[in-house]
Amino acid sequence: MCSSISSYTMKTLVLLFILIGLSNSRIYSASIYGYPGSFNVLDYGAAADGITDDSQALLNTWNDACSSSAGYPQVIIPPNMIFLLSPMTLIGPCNSQNIYFVVSGSLVSPSSPSVWTGQDSSQWLAFRNVSGLVVGGSGTIDGQGKEWWDQSCRYHPELDGCTRLAPTALKFIFCSQSSISNMYFANSAQTHILIERCNGFNVNNVMIQSPGNSPNTDGIHIQASQNVAITNSKISSGDDCISIGDYSSNVQIYNIQCGPGHGISIGSLGKGGHSAQVSNIHVNNVFFYGTTNGARIKTWQVGRGFVRDVTFENLQFNSVKNPIIIDQHYCDVRGACKETGTGVQISNVVYQNIYGTSITDIAINLNCSMSVPCTDITMQLIQLTPATPGKQVKAYCKNANGQEYGIEPGPCLSGV
Protein backbone atom coordinates (compact mmCIF):
# COMPACT_ATOMS: atom_id res chain seq x y z
CA MET A 1 0.00 0.00 0.00
CA CYS A 2 1.41 3.36 -0.98
CA SER A 3 1.58 6.45 1.17
CA SER A 4 1.58 9.73 -0.74
CA ILE A 5 3.79 11.54 1.75
CA SER A 6 6.05 9.95 4.35
CA SER A 7 4.94 9.81 7.98
CA TYR A 8 7.91 11.97 8.95
CA THR A 9 7.03 14.61 6.35
CA MET A 10 3.39 14.64 7.42
CA LYS A 11 4.30 15.09 11.10
CA THR A 12 6.66 17.91 10.15
CA LEU A 13 3.92 19.66 8.16
CA VAL A 14 1.43 19.32 11.00
CA LEU A 15 3.93 20.72 13.53
CA LEU A 16 4.71 23.63 11.20
CA PHE A 17 1.04 24.52 10.82
CA ILE A 18 0.47 24.33 14.61
CA LEU A 19 3.36 26.72 15.15
CA ILE A 20 2.00 29.06 12.46
CA GLY A 21 -1.40 28.97 14.17
CA LEU A 22 0.08 29.80 17.58
CA SER A 23 2.10 32.60 16.04
CA ASN A 24 -1.02 33.93 14.31
CA SER A 25 -2.90 34.00 17.62
CA ARG A 26 -0.17 35.99 19.33
CA ILE A 27 0.01 38.52 16.51
CA TYR A 28 -3.74 38.97 16.15
CA SER A 29 -4.04 39.46 19.90
CA ALA A 30 -1.20 41.98 19.82
CA SER A 31 -2.98 44.02 17.17
CA ILE A 32 -5.89 44.61 19.55
CA TYR A 33 -3.58 46.14 22.11
CA GLY A 34 -1.77 48.48 19.75
CA TYR A 35 1.29 46.50 18.78
CA PRO A 36 3.80 49.13 17.57
CA GLY A 37 4.30 47.29 14.28
CA SER A 38 0.64 47.71 13.34
CA PHE A 39 -0.29 49.60 10.19
CA ASN A 40 -4.00 50.40 10.15
CA VAL A 41 -5.55 51.20 6.78
CA LEU A 42 -7.74 53.86 8.44
CA ASP A 43 -4.60 55.81 9.32
CA TYR A 44 -3.80 56.01 5.62
CA GLY A 45 -7.07 57.64 4.62
CA ALA A 46 -9.38 54.69 3.96
CA ALA A 47 -13.02 55.82 3.97
CA ALA A 48 -14.34 52.33 4.84
CA ASP A 49 -17.84 53.16 3.58
CA GLY A 50 -18.09 50.52 0.83
CA ILE A 51 -18.51 53.28 -1.78
CA THR A 52 -15.21 55.18 -1.86
CA ASP A 53 -12.26 53.43 -3.51
CA ASP A 54 -9.82 52.54 -0.72
CA SER A 55 -7.19 50.95 -2.99
CA GLN A 56 -4.55 53.64 -2.65
CA ALA A 57 -4.93 53.72 1.13
CA LEU A 58 -4.38 49.95 1.31
CA LEU A 59 -1.43 50.10 -1.08
CA ASN A 60 0.27 52.78 1.03
CA THR A 61 -0.43 50.79 4.19
CA TRP A 62 1.11 47.68 2.64
CA ASN A 63 4.18 49.49 1.36
CA ASP A 64 4.98 50.91 4.80
CA ALA A 65 4.39 47.58 6.54
CA CYS A 66 6.41 45.66 3.97
CA SER A 67 9.38 48.02 4.29
CA SER A 68 9.12 48.19 8.09
CA SER A 69 11.97 47.01 10.32
CA ALA A 70 9.46 45.86 12.97
CA GLY A 71 9.76 42.22 13.93
CA TYR A 72 6.19 41.32 13.02
CA PRO A 73 4.65 44.08 10.91
CA GLN A 74 0.93 43.75 10.33
CA VAL A 75 -1.55 45.39 8.03
CA ILE A 76 -4.83 45.93 9.89
CA ILE A 77 -8.23 45.87 8.17
CA PRO A 78 -10.48 46.74 11.14
CA PRO A 79 -13.81 45.04 11.87
CA ASN A 80 -17.35 46.25 11.14
CA MET A 81 -16.26 48.23 8.08
CA ILE A 82 -16.45 47.72 4.32
CA PHE A 83 -13.48 48.56 2.09
CA LEU A 84 -14.08 48.86 -1.65
CA LEU A 85 -10.94 47.92 -3.57
CA SER A 86 -10.13 48.21 -7.25
CA PRO A 87 -7.83 45.57 -8.84
CA MET A 88 -4.44 45.69 -7.14
CA THR A 89 -1.27 43.71 -6.42
CA LEU A 90 0.63 43.84 -3.12
CA ILE A 91 4.27 43.12 -3.91
CA GLY A 92 7.22 41.85 -1.88
CA PRO A 93 9.75 40.89 -0.82
CA CYS A 94 9.32 42.49 2.58
CA ASN A 95 11.98 43.34 5.15
CA SER A 96 10.68 41.12 7.92
CA GLN A 97 10.69 37.35 8.09
CA ASN A 98 6.89 37.39 8.45
CA ILE A 99 4.27 39.95 7.52
CA TYR A 100 0.69 39.70 8.77
CA PHE A 101 -2.37 40.79 6.82
CA VAL A 102 -5.17 40.90 9.39
CA VAL A 103 -8.60 41.15 7.79
CA SER A 104 -11.34 41.66 10.36
CA GLY A 105 -13.60 43.78 8.16
CA SER A 106 -14.88 43.22 4.62
CA LEU A 107 -12.94 43.67 1.39
CA VAL A 108 -15.37 44.19 -1.48
CA SER A 109 -14.78 44.13 -5.23
CA PRO A 110 -16.32 46.60 -7.68
CA SER A 111 -19.45 44.97 -9.05
CA SER A 112 -19.11 46.25 -12.62
CA PRO A 113 -16.76 44.50 -15.09
CA SER A 114 -16.15 47.89 -16.72
CA VAL A 115 -13.73 48.74 -13.90
CA TRP A 116 -11.31 46.23 -15.44
CA THR A 117 -11.22 47.97 -18.83
CA GLY A 118 -7.57 48.13 -19.90
CA GLN A 119 -6.47 45.99 -16.95
CA ASP A 120 -5.77 42.33 -16.34
CA SER A 121 -9.25 40.82 -16.14
CA SER A 122 -7.92 37.62 -14.53
CA GLN A 123 -7.36 39.13 -11.09
CA TRP A 124 -8.78 41.38 -8.42
CA LEU A 125 -6.49 41.11 -5.36
CA ALA A 126 -3.04 39.54 -5.49
CA PHE A 127 0.03 39.05 -3.34
CA ARG A 128 3.21 38.55 -5.30
CA ASN A 129 6.72 37.51 -4.24
CA VAL A 130 6.03 37.62 -0.50
CA SER A 131 7.68 35.15 1.86
CA GLY A 132 6.31 34.49 5.34
CA LEU A 133 2.92 36.04 4.55
CA VAL A 134 0.17 35.27 7.08
CA VAL A 135 -3.38 36.23 6.07
CA GLY A 136 -6.26 35.85 8.52
CA GLY A 137 -8.55 37.58 10.95
CA SER A 138 -12.13 36.28 10.49
CA GLY A 139 -13.02 38.86 7.86
CA THR A 140 -14.75 38.61 4.47
CA ILE A 141 -13.57 38.85 0.89
CA ASP A 142 -16.54 39.46 -1.44
CA GLY A 143 -15.94 39.23 -5.19
CA GLN A 144 -19.43 40.52 -6.16
CA GLY A 145 -19.29 38.36 -9.27
CA LYS A 146 -22.90 38.38 -10.48
CA GLU A 147 -22.41 40.85 -13.33
CA TRP A 148 -19.48 38.75 -14.56
CA TRP A 149 -21.59 35.57 -14.38
CA ASP A 150 -24.39 37.27 -16.31
CA GLN A 151 -22.06 37.87 -19.27
CA SER A 152 -20.14 34.58 -19.09
CA CYS A 153 -19.59 32.78 -22.39
CA ARG A 154 -20.15 29.49 -20.58
CA TYR A 155 -23.82 30.24 -20.01
CA HIS A 156 -24.38 33.04 -22.54
CA PRO A 157 -22.40 32.07 -25.68
CA GLU A 158 -24.82 34.03 -27.86
CA LEU A 159 -24.04 37.28 -26.03
CA ASP A 160 -21.95 39.73 -28.02
CA GLY A 161 -18.70 40.31 -26.12
CA CYS A 162 -19.34 37.53 -23.60
CA THR A 163 -16.60 36.98 -21.02
CA ARG A 164 -14.30 33.95 -20.97
CA LEU A 165 -11.88 35.29 -18.37
CA ALA A 166 -13.00 36.86 -15.10
CA PRO A 167 -11.12 37.96 -11.96
CA THR A 168 -9.85 35.54 -9.34
CA ALA A 169 -10.69 37.00 -5.93
CA LEU A 170 -7.31 36.38 -4.26
CA LYS A 171 -4.06 35.25 -5.87
CA PHE A 172 -0.87 34.18 -4.15
CA ILE A 173 2.00 34.16 -6.64
CA PHE A 174 5.55 33.21 -5.60
CA CYS A 175 4.48 33.34 -1.92
CA SER A 176 6.52 30.80 0.03
CA GLN A 177 6.15 29.65 3.65
CA SER A 178 2.83 31.47 3.81
CA SER A 179 -0.73 30.83 4.95
CA ILE A 180 -4.35 31.97 4.97
CA SER A 181 -6.83 31.02 7.69
CA ASN A 182 -10.16 31.87 9.33
CA MET A 183 -11.51 33.77 6.32
CA TYR A 184 -14.84 33.86 4.50
CA PHE A 185 -14.98 34.17 0.70
CA ALA A 186 -18.12 34.90 -1.27
CA ASN A 187 -19.16 35.22 -4.90
CA SER A 188 -15.87 35.51 -6.73
CA ALA A 189 -16.24 36.36 -10.40
CA GLN A 190 -14.17 33.27 -11.16
CA THR A 191 -11.77 31.22 -8.97
CA HIS A 192 -11.82 32.27 -5.31
CA ILE A 193 -8.23 31.44 -4.24
CA LEU A 194 -5.29 30.75 -6.55
CA ILE A 195 -1.97 29.41 -5.21
CA GLU A 196 0.55 29.66 -8.02
CA ARG A 197 4.28 28.93 -8.00
CA CYS A 198 4.38 28.81 -4.21
CA ASN A 199 6.46 26.52 -2.00
CA GLY A 200 5.09 25.89 1.49
CA PHE A 201 1.53 27.18 1.71
CA ASN A 202 -1.23 26.39 4.21
CA VAL A 203 -4.97 27.07 3.86
CA ASN A 204 -6.90 26.34 7.05
CA ASN A 205 -10.44 26.96 8.26
CA VAL A 206 -11.73 28.96 5.31
CA MET A 207 -15.30 29.06 4.07
CA ILE A 208 -15.96 29.63 0.38
CA GLN A 209 -19.49 30.19 -0.87
CA SER A 210 -20.87 30.91 -4.32
CA PRO A 211 -23.95 29.56 -6.13
CA GLY A 212 -23.75 26.08 -7.62
CA ASN A 213 -24.57 27.52 -11.06
CA SER A 214 -21.96 30.30 -10.99
CA PRO A 215 -19.53 29.69 -13.90
CA ASN A 216 -15.91 28.66 -13.28
CA THR A 217 -15.96 29.65 -9.62
CA ASP A 218 -13.45 27.09 -8.36
CA GLY A 219 -12.93 27.26 -4.62
CA ILE A 220 -9.15 26.80 -4.49
CA HIS A 221 -6.83 26.13 -7.43
CA ILE A 222 -3.23 25.00 -6.93
CA GLN A 223 -0.88 25.58 -9.86
CA ALA A 224 2.84 24.77 -10.13
CA SER A 225 3.18 24.70 -6.33
CA GLN A 226 4.78 22.36 -3.82
CA ASN A 227 4.20 21.49 -0.16
CA VAL A 228 0.63 22.77 0.09
CA ALA A 229 -1.94 21.85 2.75
CA ILE A 230 -5.67 22.64 2.63
CA THR A 231 -7.44 21.68 5.85
CA ASN A 232 -10.63 22.07 7.91
CA SER A 233 -12.56 24.05 5.29
CA LYS A 234 -16.02 24.22 3.74
CA ILE A 235 -16.38 24.97 0.05
CA SER A 236 -19.55 25.55 -2.00
CA SER A 237 -19.01 26.70 -5.57
CA GLY A 238 -19.96 26.44 -9.23
CA ASP A 239 -16.85 24.51 -10.23
CA ASP A 240 -14.22 22.35 -8.51
CA CYS A 241 -14.11 22.76 -4.75
CA ILE A 242 -10.35 22.18 -5.02
CA SER A 243 -8.40 21.69 -8.25
CA ILE A 244 -4.77 20.76 -8.72
CA GLY A 245 -2.94 21.92 -11.81
CA ASP A 246 0.30 21.05 -13.53
CA TYR A 247 3.72 20.89 -11.82
CA SER A 248 2.20 20.53 -8.36
CA SER A 249 3.45 18.06 -5.77
CA ASN A 250 3.28 17.19 -2.06
CA VAL A 251 -0.29 18.37 -1.58
CA GLN A 252 -2.32 17.45 1.53
CA ILE A 253 -6.11 17.93 1.49
CA TYR A 254 -7.74 17.02 4.80
CA ASN A 255 -11.11 17.43 6.51
CA ILE A 256 -13.05 19.23 3.76
CA GLN A 257 -16.76 19.68 3.12
CA CYS A 258 -17.43 20.03 -0.61
CA GLY A 259 -20.78 20.85 -2.19
CA PRO A 260 -22.30 22.07 -4.31
CA GLY A 261 -19.49 22.01 -6.85
CA HIS A 262 -17.56 19.73 -9.18
CA GLY A 263 -15.63 17.84 -6.52
CA ILE A 264 -11.88 17.60 -5.94
CA SER A 265 -10.01 17.35 -9.23
CA ILE A 266 -6.51 16.74 -10.44
CA GLY A 267 -6.49 18.48 -13.81
CA SER A 268 -7.40 18.99 -16.42
CA LEU A 269 -3.82 18.28 -17.54
CA GLY A 270 -2.07 18.11 -20.88
CA LYS A 271 -4.19 20.49 -22.94
CA GLY A 272 -2.51 21.52 -26.19
CA GLY A 273 0.05 18.72 -25.86
CA HIS A 274 1.66 20.17 -22.74
CA SER A 275 3.65 17.92 -20.43
CA ALA A 276 2.15 17.34 -16.98
CA GLN A 277 3.96 16.51 -13.74
CA VAL A 278 1.77 15.95 -10.68
CA SER A 279 2.78 13.71 -7.77
CA ASN A 280 2.32 12.95 -4.08
CA ILE A 281 -1.28 14.07 -3.64
CA HIS A 282 -3.15 12.92 -0.50
CA VAL A 283 -6.89 13.58 -0.15
CA ASN A 284 -8.27 12.40 3.20
CA ASN A 285 -11.51 12.79 5.15
CA VAL A 286 -13.72 14.65 2.67
CA PHE A 287 -17.52 14.84 2.62
CA PHE A 288 -19.08 15.47 -0.80
CA TYR A 289 -22.70 16.62 -0.94
CA GLY A 290 -24.60 16.90 -4.22
CA THR A 291 -21.47 17.43 -6.33
CA THR A 292 -21.14 16.56 -10.02
CA ASN A 293 -17.91 14.67 -9.29
CA GLY A 294 -16.15 13.31 -6.25
CA ALA A 295 -12.53 12.19 -6.56
CA ARG A 296 -11.58 13.06 -10.14
CA ILE A 297 -8.47 12.90 -12.35
CA LYS A 298 -8.89 14.39 -15.82
CA THR A 299 -6.35 14.59 -18.65
CA TRP A 300 -6.31 15.45 -22.35
CA GLN A 301 -5.29 12.71 -24.76
CA VAL A 302 -2.78 14.99 -26.49
CA GLY A 303 -0.94 15.57 -23.22
CA ARG A 304 2.27 14.01 -21.96
CA GLY A 305 3.97 13.49 -18.63
CA PHE A 306 2.52 11.86 -15.51
CA VAL A 307 0.18 11.83 -12.53
CA ARG A 308 1.44 9.43 -9.86
CA ASP A 309 1.41 8.59 -6.16
CA VAL A 310 -2.12 9.75 -5.39
CA THR A 311 -4.28 8.62 -2.46
CA PHE A 312 -8.00 9.24 -1.96
CA GLU A 313 -9.14 7.85 1.39
CA ASN A 314 -11.89 8.17 3.97
CA LEU A 315 -14.34 9.80 1.58
CA GLN A 316 -18.11 10.05 2.01
CA PHE A 317 -20.48 10.78 -0.88
CA ASN A 318 -24.06 11.95 -0.56
CA SER A 319 -25.95 12.00 -3.89
CA VAL A 320 -22.87 12.55 -6.05
CA LYS A 321 -23.01 12.19 -9.83
CA ASN A 322 -19.57 10.64 -10.43
CA PRO A 323 -18.12 9.56 -7.07
CA ILE A 324 -14.89 8.03 -8.44
CA ILE A 325 -13.76 9.04 -11.91
CA ILE A 326 -10.63 9.01 -14.05
CA ASP A 327 -11.09 10.54 -17.50
CA GLN A 328 -8.12 10.36 -19.82
CA HIS A 329 -10.34 11.48 -22.70
CA TYR A 330 -11.17 14.94 -21.34
CA CYS A 331 -12.41 17.27 -24.07
CA ASP A 332 -14.09 20.67 -24.42
CA VAL A 333 -16.92 18.99 -26.30
CA ARG A 334 -17.73 15.49 -25.05
CA GLY A 335 -16.79 12.86 -27.64
CA ALA A 336 -15.32 15.38 -30.10
CA CYS A 337 -11.63 14.62 -29.41
CA LYS A 338 -10.27 11.70 -31.44
CA GLU A 339 -8.18 8.91 -29.93
CA THR A 340 -4.44 9.66 -30.06
CA GLY A 341 -1.24 7.74 -29.40
CA THR A 342 -0.23 10.07 -26.60
CA GLY A 343 -1.48 10.65 -23.07
CA VAL A 344 -0.63 11.58 -19.49
CA GLN A 345 0.51 8.47 -17.61
CA ILE A 346 -1.61 7.84 -14.49
CA SER A 347 -0.09 5.39 -12.01
CA ASN A 348 -0.02 4.34 -8.36
CA VAL A 349 -3.44 5.72 -7.41
CA VAL A 350 -5.11 4.38 -4.24
CA TYR A 351 -8.82 4.57 -3.35
CA GLN A 352 -9.65 3.23 0.10
CA ASN A 353 -12.33 3.38 2.77
CA ILE A 354 -14.91 5.13 0.60
CA TYR A 355 -18.67 4.94 0.90
CA GLY A 356 -21.89 6.78 0.04
CA THR A 357 -24.48 7.22 -2.69
CA SER A 358 -24.37 7.90 -6.42
CA ILE A 359 -27.17 9.57 -8.40
CA THR A 360 -25.97 7.96 -11.65
CA ASP A 361 -25.72 4.27 -12.48
CA ILE A 362 -21.93 4.37 -13.00
CA ALA A 363 -20.52 4.99 -9.54
CA ILE A 364 -16.93 4.04 -10.45
CA ASN A 365 -15.75 5.23 -13.87
CA LEU A 366 -12.11 4.71 -14.83
CA ASN A 367 -11.99 5.66 -18.51
CA CYS A 368 -8.29 5.31 -19.29
CA SER A 369 -6.30 5.59 -22.50
CA MET A 370 -5.65 2.64 -24.80
CA SER A 371 -2.23 4.07 -25.67
CA VAL A 372 -1.24 5.09 -22.13
CA PRO A 373 -3.37 2.99 -19.74
CA CYS A 374 -3.76 3.58 -16.02
CA THR A 375 -1.47 1.30 -14.00
CA ASP A 376 -1.03 0.27 -10.36
CA ILE A 377 -4.53 1.30 -9.34
CA THR A 378 -5.58 0.01 -5.91
CA MET A 379 -9.18 0.02 -4.70
CA GLN A 380 -10.18 -1.41 -1.34
CA LEU A 381 -13.06 -1.12 1.11
CA ILE A 382 -15.40 0.81 -1.17
CA GLN A 383 -19.18 0.69 -0.75
CA LEU A 384 -21.21 2.82 -3.17
CA THR A 385 -24.98 2.45 -3.45
CA PRO A 386 -27.71 4.21 -5.46
CA ALA A 387 -29.11 7.46 -4.09
CA THR A 388 -32.55 6.33 -5.28
CA PRO A 389 -33.78 3.12 -3.61
CA GLY A 390 -34.52 0.31 -6.03
CA LYS A 391 -31.95 1.35 -8.62
CA GLN A 392 -28.53 -0.19 -9.18
CA VAL A 393 -25.03 1.15 -9.63
CA LYS A 394 -22.10 -0.37 -11.48
CA ALA A 395 -18.40 0.06 -12.09
CA TYR A 396 -16.86 0.75 -15.49
CA CYS A 397 -13.14 0.34 -16.09
CA LYS A 398 -11.39 0.64 -19.43
CA ASN A 399 -7.62 0.19 -19.77
CA ALA A 400 -7.25 0.38 -15.98
CA ASN A 401 -4.91 -2.13 -14.34
CA GLY A 402 -4.44 -2.91 -10.68
CA GLN A 403 -5.92 -4.71 -7.71
CA GLU A 404 -9.10 -4.41 -5.67
CA TYR A 405 -10.53 -5.80 -2.44
CA GLY A 406 -13.96 -5.39 -0.88
CA ILE A 407 -15.44 -3.29 -3.69
CA GLU A 408 -19.10 -2.65 -4.36
CA PRO A 409 -19.88 -2.24 -7.19
CA GLY A 410 -17.19 -4.41 -8.74
CA PRO A 411 -14.99 -6.10 -9.76
CA CYS A 412 -13.70 -3.61 -12.26
CA LEU A 413 -9.92 -3.48 -12.73
CA SER A 414 -7.87 -5.60 -15.09
CA GLY A 415 -5.11 -7.76 -13.65
CA VAL A 416 -6.93 -8.72 -10.45
Side-chain angles (χ1 to χ4, degrees), residues 354-394:
I354 296 171
Y355 65 97
T357 59
S358 172
I359 63 173
T360 56
D361 61 346
I362 302 179
I364 298 173
N365 186 357
L366 307 187
N367 184 18
C368 299
S369 166
M370 181 182 297
S371 302
V372 187
C374 302
T375 60
D376 296 321
I377 308 296
T378 299
M379 295 195 295
Q380 64 178 13
L381 301 178
I382 297 175
Q383 184 75 30
L384 297 174
T385 58
T388 304
K391 292 193 174 183
Q392 294 183 333
V393 294
K394 58 185 178 181

Side-chain angles (χ1 to χ4, degrees), residues 126-413:
F127 291 94
R128 187 179 186 91
N129 199 28
V130 185
S131 179
L133 172 66
V134 180
V135 179
S138 72
T140 296
I141 295 180
D142 187 348
Q144 297 205 107
K146 187 177 186 306
E147 289 193 31
W148 288 95
W149 308 337
D150 288 345
Q151 65 181 36
S152 167
C153 293
R154 179 170 175 178
Y155 291 146
H156 307 282
E158 77 292 343
L159 185 66
D160 185 30
C162 67
T163 299
R164 297 188 182 277
L165 185 64
T168 292
L170 187 57
K171 289 185 177 182
F172 298 94
I173 306 170
F174 291 115
C175 293
S176 298
Q177 308 307 318
S178 298
S179 68
I180 179 170
S181 61
N182 307 317
M183 293 290 299
Y184 175 71
F185 288 79
N187 302 321
S188 180
Q190 205 154 305
T191 301
H192 289 77
I193 300 174
L194 171 66
I195 301 166
E196 182 177 355
R197 287 172 285 178
C198 297
N199 186 358
F201 201 101
N202 179 38
V203 180
N204 181 59
N205 192 33
V206 300
M207 177 179 287
I208 296 173
Q209 197 164 27
S210 60
N213 62 352
S214 54
N216 303 311
T217 54
D218 294 67
I220 302 170
H221 181 66
I222 302 165
Q223 182 70 31
S225 295
Q226 296 75 45
N227 304 307
V228 176
I230 302 173
T231 56
N232 307 313
S233 297
K234 183 176 181 179
I235 304 172
S236 305
S237 70
D239 211 302
D240 295 322
C241 291
I242 301 171
S243 55
I244 300 169
D246 199 11
Y247 292 96
S248 296
S249 61
N250 297 336
V251 176
Q252 290 277 338
I253 298 170
Y254 175 76
N255 198 22
I256 305 295
Q257 293 185 50
C258 171
H262 294 182
I264 293 180
S265 297
I266 297 173
S268 62
L269 304 174
K271 186 175 183 179
H274 293 160
S275 180
Q277 294 183 22
V278 175
S279 62
N280 293 329
I281 311 297
H282 193 175
V283 180
N284 184 10
N285 195 29
V286 180
F287 175 70
F288 299 87
Y289 179 80
T291 55
T292 55
N293 302 286
R296 176 166 65 160
I297 302 174
K298 50 181 179 174
T299 66
W300 294 75
Q301 293 182 85
V302 294
R304 302 174 187 275
F306 60 82
V307 176
R308 62 192 182 202
D309 303 330
V310 177
T311 297
F312 294 101
E313 63 179 339
N314 303 317
L315 309 184
Q316 180 181 354
F317 301 111
N318 188 325
S319 298
V320 171
K321 188 175 181 180
N322 300 295
I324 295 174
I325 180 169
I326 293 178
D327 185 4
Q328 280 189 290
H329 300 83
Y330 190 75
C331 186
D332 280 335
V333 180
R334 185 175 297 277
C337 298
K338 297 180 179 179
E339 186 82 31
T340 70
T342 56
V344 177
Q345 174 67 61
I346 297 174
S347 64
N348 199 19
V349 181
V350 175
Y351 302 91
Q352 62 185 4
N353 196 25
I354 296 171
Y355 65 97
T357 59
S358 172
I359 63 173
T360 56
D361 61 346
I362 302 179
I364 298 173
N365 186 357
L366 307 187
N367 184 18
C368 299
S369 166
M370 181 182 297
S371 302
V372 187
C374 302
T375 60
D376 296 321
I377 308 296
T378 299
M379 295 195 295
Q380 64 178 13
L381 301 178
I382 297 175
Q383 184 75 30
L384 297 174
T385 58
T388 304
K391 292 193 174 183
Q392 294 183 333
V393 294
K394 58 185 178 181
Y396 170 82
C397 293
K398 179 181 179 183
N399 304 314
N401 305 310
Q403 56 188 345
E404 55 193 326
Y405 313 96
I407 306 302
E408 182 63 39
C412 185
L413 296 169

Side-chain angles (χ1 to χ4, degrees), residues 104-137:
S104 300
S106 297
L107 305 181
V108 177
S109 167
S111 60
S112 174
S114 63
V115 173
W116 275 260
T117 301
Q119 300 190 63
D120 180 1
S121 61
S122 75
Q123 76 175 46
W124 169 35
L125 303 179
F127 291 94
R128 187 179 186 91
N129 199 28
V130 185
S131 179
L133 172 66
V134 180
V135 179

